[in-house]
Structures are given as C-alpha cells and as structure tokens.
Amino acid sequence: MLEVHGLKKRYGRKKPILEGVSFSVRPDSITCLIGLNGEGKSTILKAIMGLVPVDAGTVLVDGEVSREKIAFVPDLQTMPGYMTIGDALLYMSDYYPDWNPKVAEELMGLFKLLTTDKILELSKGNQAKFSLVLGFALDRPYLLLDEPFAGIDLFTKEQIAWIFSSHYMEGRGILMTTHEIIEIEHLIDRVVFLQDGRIIDEHDTEEMREVYGKSVQDRMREVYQR
Amino acid sequence: MKQYLMLTNEELKRSWKMIVSVILAMASIEILTVVGRVIYHERQIKEYMSYSKLTESEALRSFGKLSFGLASVYFGYIVLVGIVLVILYAVQIWYRDWFGESKYIYRLLLLPGSRAKIFFAKFTSLALVIISFIGLQWVVIQLSYAIFNWLIKDDYRTSSFNIPIELNQLYTMNLIDTLILVVLALFIVSFLFMLVLLERSYRKVKGLLFIVLEVVAFFIIMVGGMYVIEKLDFFLSQEISAIMLAIFVLYFVYTIWKSLRLLKWKISV
C-alpha cells in the first residue's frame, strides 16, 4: 500500500497549496486524484517522489520510507534533448536495475515507436506514449501518472487507456491525475477529490455507482460546481 | 561509483561540442594574435627604415626588438574570457536541466541511489574542463612560442622566453603552483554550485536572500579572517598561511556539504 500522511506545502507567503493531505493507493488498483487546475494535484505527485520538499507529512510504501518502489511519469519530457528513443532506452537500462527491456520492447511495438526517432521531435501523442513506456517498463509496484492524456488525440487516448486494462497493470497500484475522466472512468477503482489543499471526498467508484447511482463525472459536478 | 562515472560521461557528452569549440577558438585567436603581432612589428620596422632612410640594424636599434612577451600580450585577456566562460559553464551546467529543451532534472533527481552523484558528476566535468583548459593553455603558449621563433627573423626578436606577467603568475610551470591554481578554481566552482542550488531550492526573494547571506559570510570569513589575523600581529607568517589554509579547506568542505544537503532535502523541480 502507498500511504500519504498529512502532506503540507506552502509556496512562499501564499495560501498553502496542501493542508494535510492524506490518502492511500492500494496495490492492483487505479486511484484518480481529481481537482480543478492549481489545486495541487501535480504537487502531491512530485512531493511523493521527493521532487518538491514538503513542510510536513510522510509517504510510506508498503510500510517503508522508500521511493524506489515507485515509478513516476510526469507530463513533460525528462530525457536530454539530444537523445533518440534508443539512447533513452539504453540510459534506462544502464541506470535502473529494475528496468525491464522486454516490457519496453513490447510497448514500443504496440505504440509503433522507432528507436531512431529523436525524443524532442516526437509528436505530443508519441511523447506521451514514450513517457508511459519509460514508466511501465520499470518493474515497480506503484506508478504515478501526471496528466497522461493531456493534449493528445482520441486514438492515442484509447491506446493508452487500453494499457490500464492490460496485463501490464497486474499487481500495480496506479495513482494518476487527469481531467479527461470520461475516457477512463470505467477503469478507475477509486477517486480522491481535492479542493483548497484538502481531500474533500473519497470513494470507490463501484460503490459510488451502485450505492449512490452516480458517475465520477456527476460527483465532480456536485463537488466543484456547488 | 558506476553511476557517477556514467553521469560524468553524460555531462561531458552534453557539452563537448561547446567546450571543444571554445577551446579551439581561444587557441586559434591566441596564435593569430602572435602571428599578427609579428607581421605588424616587421612591417613597422620596414616602414620606419624606408621613411627614415636607415639600415635594418639602425632601425632595430632605435625601434627595438620584439619579445615573445610583447607578442603574446593579448593572451591575458583571452585567458580572462576563458575564466568567465568557465564560470558561466558552472552555472549553466545546472540551469540547463531546468530550462533546457527537456526537464532532465526530473530524471536526475529520480535516479536510484544517492543524489550526491549528480553533484560530483557535474563537479568532475568542471574539474576536467578546468584542467584541460590549463593544460591546453600551456600547450598553446609553447606552440605560439615555436611559431613566433619560426616566423620572425632572428634579428627582430629577443632571445629570451618570457610571457606576460599576468600569465607568468598562472603558468609558472611549477607543479605545486598549478595544483594551487586548480584547487582554487575548484573552490570557486563549488561555491558557485552552492549558490545555484540555494536559488533552485528556495527560489525568488528567499533564494536571492540566501545567496547574499552566503556571499557576505564568505567575505567575512575569508577576507575578514585574514585582516584580523594580520592585524593581531601575533602569528608568524607561516602560521598565518596555515590558519588561512585551514579556513579555506573548512569552507571548501562546507560548500560541498551544504550543496549535498540542498540536493537531498530542499531542491525543487
């Protein structure tokens, strides 16, 4: 289990962006962090990965303070500009002992990505796909995805969404942020609603649908349009 | 260790074109200034001879012979440009990871293991650039001296090998002096790294404030310390040197320690 306890973060003298955020991500499930722009969703993911220091709070992975069991796919390119996809794959296998070249190769084929292509010359959709390759090909039980569907076309979204229901998901706990909830609503197991730096609601999606008769989008409207 | 070596290689790979271009440009300019100075000197003597109707030896007697020191008088400025470029590189080597074509800083900070290897990889890259720069400068001086001797008529030049005074201090050809020069350069790099990491950790006003505080602290400790010790008139000159060396080493260690702490706990993407 990935557990986030009491995350607090304030940038300068501004209003705190996170005011004691706590939630958990179960293995073998997809948890979606939902909130309007600027609510601190990406900050939470970065804080979990230690990419922004927090004022308070802890992150535990299976009871330990360790980030080596989490892979992170941010919504931007993180490889040096001069690299080709092939260079980047080599880089990953050199630096990460838990890199799985077989999965990388399979996903590269699935997404029709070429090792000779320069990463920064890829289309937005292919960049998103390649980022997912880098994340999924790490044999780690937890995966954080920051806006994996942002700015990409419908068919690419469908291809990416397919992965979430494929065998690549087995045993993994996923935490993602997205605004494109309609396309993946049927895949999500749990939603966490964030507002004003606090968790204001949390639900298992199945329970929400069966007990309350509401979709995630319905609940979003209730939360953010009231 | 393997990751540190790979990262160092990666850093150099990212900059080698720029480094080689700068070094080649500087070496070419230096050699060209010597060639230009020789041609100019010879032309001046010839013009003086035809204008004053003098023989070559008479013209040389009144006009003077060209020394290598005079022919390489611009080397000091070019070395100064090199120093400024190394300082800029020490800053750029960090900032490109935040503001380059991609956000490579994410990848670096997420690499498995300690983040110290990021610092030391960048530090080693700078060290290698500085050592290459000093070594190549020495080679360029020797080369341009050979070109100078080959190009100029024997009668037109002085026979002694002398280089400009400011370069003489830099290139004494003495191992200890060269070592001191490298260590001083590395200290400046380490200090700059700490300032960059302070800014990248605290950002905006707070970041600037910490930078100002560190610079002021540096001057108080190093310059103030030296002033007080000398004013006390209590220590022998050798003891003063030892105290200053100890303060310098401690401060050097402090800059590295502080940078590593910032990278581990405070840095932000």
Side-chain angles (χ1 to χ4, degrees), chain B residues 5-150:
Chain B
L5 291 174
M6 286 193 303
L7 275 179
T8 306
N9 177 46
E10 200 65 46
E11 291 293 346
L12 288 170
K13 224 160 69 181
R14 292 172 75 191
S15 316
W16 76 268
K17 281 182 192 164
M18 182 186 74
I19 295 166
V20 171
S21 312
V22 167
I23 286 178
L24 281 180
M26 286 175 61
S28 313
I29 292 170
E30 284 182 342
I31 291 170
L32 283 176
T33 57
V34 170
V35 173
R37 197 73 185 81
V38 168
I39 294 170
Y40 179 68
H41 181 73
E42 287 186 338
R43 196 198 302 151
Q44 269 188 324
I45 289 175
K46 276 179 188 140
E47 281 174 6
Y48 188 65
M49 279 161 60
S50 62
Y51 179 75
S52 311
K53 309 281 184 220
L54 294 170
T55 62
E56 196 174 68
S57 56
E58 283 170 333
L60 277 171
R61 211 173 303 128
S62 54
F63 203 82
K65 291 182 175 184
L66 183 67
S67 67
F68 179 65
L70 202 60
S72 59
V73 75
Y74 297 112
F75 281 25
Y77 300 111
I78 297 163
V79 168
L80 204 65
V81 170
I83 292 169
V84 171
L85 289 176
V86 169
I87 288 172
L88 289 177
Y89 179 49
V91 175
Q92 186 256 3
I93 200 171
W94 286 103
Y95 278 105
R96 68 180 174 190
D97 295 337
W98 273 270
F99 301 108
E101 294 165 300
S102 66
K103 294 256 184 181
Y104 185 47
I105 191 66
Y106 278 73
R107 183 63 53 200
L108 285 177
L109 296 180
L110 290 174
L111 286 175
S114 162
R115 287 178 179 174
K117 62 180 174 284
I118 305 169
F119 176 90
F120 287 113
K122 289 182 190 290
F123 193 71
T124 309
S125 308
L126 257 299
L128 291 174
V129 167
I130 289 166
I131 292 166
S132 318
F133 180 71
I134 292 173
L136 275 160
Q137 189 59 50
W138 185 82
V139 170
V140 168
I141 288 177
Q142 303 301 322
L143 189 68
S144 30
Y145 183 58
I147 291 173
F148 172 78
N149 283 339
W150 171 74

Side-chain angles (χ1 to χ4, degrees), chain A residues 50-51 77 79 82 91 95, chain B residues 3 10 102-104 115 269:
Chain A
L51 294 171
Q77 260 324 313
M79 284 297 183
Y82 67 86
Y91 180 100
Y95 285 94
Chain B
Q3 285 208 348
E10 200 65 46
S102 66
K103 294 256 184 181
Y104 185 47
R115 287 178 179 174
V269 290

